[in-house]
Amino acid sequence: GNLRQEVDFLLGNSSFDGENLALVGHSMGGGAVIDLAAELASSHPGLVKAVAAIAPWNGIGAKGAPRPSRVAHEIKAPLLLICSNMDQLVPCSGEIGSYTGASKNPMAKGLFNTLFKGTDDTWFGGVEAIKEDAMRGESNVTYVDLPDGGHFALAGISKEQLEGIGEEWGQPKMLVDMMLASGEINLGNPEDTGEEVREDVIDFLKQHL
């Protein structure tokens, strides 16, 4: 995929010494970096020095990619997994929307079904399943289960930024606000939660790079 192409670009660039490559991703990107780290562990042993996945989506397999919980054990590099059960979209474990019962709200349930139709509503065990698979392998796994933080708050993304993304996608602000409210998908304080996650990731990378 695109991430592999970016790694290949780096490898072909003379300014890259190949010594300090880390993979970091959030949500779908979190699942993608786990898949890529597993692939590179085989094709380029020792290249990846650290992997950090924030609220990694274990449903990425629905898009044709390997499911992270099936390949995480192939990762050799230290792995950091960060999640929160306040996350309505990618909780550490359990059903999506279960934190506030939003999955029982007709409008929210419609939103979840529209976005994630045809998938297991626990993401096949979620982040917990990724952790369990990773621990079967050689990776040194660090698992951080935060007490608070909605899906986008974990990445420090505010409601205003989400509205901006919606506008870029051609969605009216009123519709975006309605979706955010019905699904309660950005619980918590994005500034504080995002800063806590950033510090955890930076500390992890400093330790392993």
Side-chain angles (χ1 to χ4, degrees):
N2 291 337
L3 286 178
R4 178 58 192 264
Q5 291 173 6
E6 291 177 12
V7 171
D8 289 341
F9 173 79
L10 282 175
L11 293 175
N13 191 320
S14 59
S15 64
F16 175 60
D17 62 10
E19 292 298 318
N20 292 296
L21 178 64
L23 303 175
V24 180
H26 167 256
S27 190
M28 186 182 292
V33 297
I34 290 171
D35 284 353
L36 180 59
E39 177 185 344
L40 291 173
S42 174
S43 65
H44 294 75
L47 175 64
V48 177
K49 301 299 190 294
V51 184
I54 305 157
W57 183 34
N58 198 36
I60 193 171
K63 300 296 183 182
R67 188 178 302 156
S69 62
R70 289 181 173 171
V71 299
H73 67 275
E74 298 174 16
I75 297 174
K76 303 294 191 295
L79 172 64
L80 171 65
L81 297 171
I82 299 178
C83 61
S84 168
N85 271 326
M86 184 186 276
D87 187 333
Q88 296 283 77
L89 297 182
V90 185
C92 298
S93 62
E95 295 183 4
I96 58 173
S98 62
Y99 181 76
T100 64
S103 58
K104 298 178 176 63
N105 176 307
M107 185 177 291
K109 190 171 182 62
L111 167 64
F112 291 142
N113 287 341
T114 298
L115 292 175
F116 309 118
K117 185 177 180 181
T119 61
D120 182 291
D121 62 4
T122 69
W123 299 138
F124 309 98
V127 187
E128 284 273 0
I130 298 174
K131 177 192 73 171
E132 290 172 7
D133 188 67
M135 292 180 69
R136 291 174 46 221
E138 300 176 18
S139 176
N140 178 9
V141 182
T142 301
Y143 185 73
V144 179
D145 180 350
L146 294 176
D148 55 20
H151 188 65
F152 297 100
L154 289 169
I157 302 173
S158 68
K159 178 181 179 230
E160 291 72 26
Q161 288 171 315
L162 286 171
E163 289 172 344
I165 293 171
E167 290 176 4
E168 289 180 8
W169 290 353
Q171 302 299 320
K173 179 178 179 296
M174 181 178 70
L175 178 60
V176 175
D177 286 345
M178 183 174 67
M179 290 175 67
L180 291 174
S182 66
E184 299 179 298
I185 61 175
N186 208 33
L187 300 170
N189 185 316
E191 185 174 347
D192 292 345
T193 303
E195 181 60 29
E196 181 177 356
V197 170
R198 277 192 295 273
E199 289 178 358
D200 285 345
V201 171
I202 290 171
D203 288 346
F204 173 77
L205 295 179
K206 283 181 177 178
Q207 181 180 352
H208 297 290
L209 293 180

